[in-house]
Amino acid sequence: MKISSAAIALSFAYGASAFAPSVDPSRIGTPSTTASSTELDLFFMNTLKHKRAVSKVNKPARVNDSITEKEVRGLFELWNSALATGDSRVVASRYSKNPVLLPTVKDDPRTDYDSVKDYFDTFLLKKPQGTILDGKVHIGDGWATDMGIYEFTMGATGDKVKARYTYNYVQEDGVWKIQHHHSSVMPEAVDMGKTITPDEVRGLFHLWNDALATLDPTKVAARYAKKGVLLPTVSDQARTDFASIRSYFVNFLQLKPQGKILESHVTIGNNWCQDAGIYEFTMGAT
């Protein structure tokens, strides 16, 4: 089945994007009193799995001994391993009781467990894994700092993002924790003098179309800006966040759609661009 003569208006914002205490048992939900034995088994299995993951990335520090430069760099790998679990609670456990997280793609500082976890709830949907490209380590009495440049590969989209970083580590209850984490975009990545071409704008449609071909709603939703607006063809509801956009594509992708632009009019501005026209979809399922 083909759907044709559908008007499109695709707007893109470009530049840099894609960035972002010990766990109190009371933070973990409790099972319902009416839960079945299977549900209880799953609850306790998940709780045990979570506690093991937290323990794995929060190893005790050596007593009465200074940390080495290699061990400081190893603290980044513990944080990276926490990212790989996909569990925001495990990542938040790597931060101290009074942390300061200044994330790359959020304006508000995160200064407690809940706000740090909230940031990673979204960031982990991109399935990030980081690599330090260039770093400098400084060690003091009960503290250490690692600063430099790292690069993230987003497993959900294949995108690679470079950023500047600073980690300040302190010993807390015998464990080295992140007290301060600052991640900021590379200045040259947002150079206002760099513009996108009309062909590159149209190429963004093909990236979106390729995401459709994966039949993975998470990968499609990842193509949208953090404050994107989707006014879909077959739904009356405006979609204005990642979860609602993903929800729409859960159903739409069952049709196995693939699109083709029939008529395109591109407009380019200062850090934005728009592609408006007509496209046609072929529904592989019908």
Side-chain angles (χ1 to χ4, degrees):
M1 179 181 72
K2 291 188 176 181
I3 299 176
S4 60
S5 300
I8 58 169
L10 306 176
S11 296
F12 307 92
Y14 61 96
S17 64
F19 290 89
S22 297
V23 175
D24 185 338
S26 65
R27 299 183 187 278
I28 304 173
T30 56
S32 167
T33 57
T34 60
S36 68
S37 60
T38 300
E39 290 173 330
L40 288 172
D41 289 344
L42 288 173
F43 169 80
F44 289 116
M45 286 175 62
N46 288 335
T47 300
L48 180 60
K49 181 180 179 181
H50 165 65
K51 288 183 176 180
R52 285 175 175 171
V54 170
S55 176
K56 185 176 181 180
V57 299
N58 289 281
K59 299 177 180 178
R62 294 184 302 177
V63 179
N64 298 325
D65 199 358
S66 177
I67 193 170
T68 67
E69 184 172 326
K70 182 178 180 180
E71 288 170 334
V72 172
R73 189 53 51 78
L75 296 176
F76 171 81
E77 297 304 332
L78 286 180
W79 179 80
N80 207 31
S81 296
L83 294 184
T85 68
D87 188 336
S88 59
R89 299 171 300 172
V90 176
V91 182
S93 77
R94 284 298 306 139
Y95 291 78
S96 69
K97 295 175 183 176
N98 296 294
V100 176
L101 167 62
L102 303 176
T104 310
V105 295
K106 291 290 185 180
D107 292 336
D108 51 320
R110 308 304 174 104
T111 57
D112 57 24
Y113 176 94
D114 289 332
S115 60
V116 170
K117 177 185 176 298
D118 175 73
Y119 174 73
F120 286 106
D121 283 342
T122 300
F123 185 55
L124 290 179
L125 294 173
K126 299 177 184 292
K127 300 181 180 179
Q129 276 293 278
T131 301
I132 290 179
L133 303 180
D134 182 26
K136 305 294 181 183
V137 171
H138 298 279
I139 298 171
D141 185 10
W143 62 268
T145 298
D146 187 358
M147 62 192 76
I149 297 171
Y150 52 18
E151 180 178 69
F152 283 91
T153 299
M154 305 302 178
T157 62
D159 292 341
K160 290 183 180 290
V161 179
K162 287 183 182 180
R164 297 178 293 183
Y165 73 86
T166 299
Y167 292 94
N168 288 342
Y169 300 102
V170 296
Q171 277 201 48
E172 184 176 273
D173 299 328
V175 178
W176 284 97
K177 297 278 191 171
I178 303 167
Q179 191 278 324
H180 174 89
H181 179 192
H182 182 192
S183 185
S184 59
V185 67
M186 301 290 286
E188 293 180 3
V190 291
D191 185 351
M192 293 305 210
K194 294 182 178 179
T195 60
I196 192 170
T197 68
D199 284 343
E200 288 172 331
V201 174
R202 295 186 183 95
L204 297 176
F205 171 82
H206 295 299
L207 289 178
W208 178 78
N209 207 31
D210 289 344
L212 293 183
T214 69
L215 302 181
D216 184 341
T218 298
K219 291 185 178 180
V220 181
R223 289 298 310 154
Y224 289 76
K226 60 182 179 179
K227 294 184 178 180
V229 177
L230 167 63
L231 303 177
T233 308
V234 294
S235 173
D236 295 336
Q237 179 186 354
R239 311 300 174 112
T240 58
D241 58 26
F242 182 93
S244 62
I245 290 172
R246 183 187 180 280
S247 174
Y248 173 73
F249 284 107
V250 168
N251 294 321
F252 185 58
L253 290 178
Q254 293 179 11
L255 300 174
K256 298 183 179 179
Q258 273 294 277
K260 179 181 180 181
I261 290 180
L262 304 179
E263 182 179 338
S264 170
H265 301 276
V266 172
T267 305
I268 299 173
N270 187 13
N271 251 20
W272 65 269
C273 58
Q274 177 177 287
D275 189 357
I278 297 171
Y279 54 16
E280 178 181 72
F281 278 94
T282 299
M283 304 302 179
T286 59

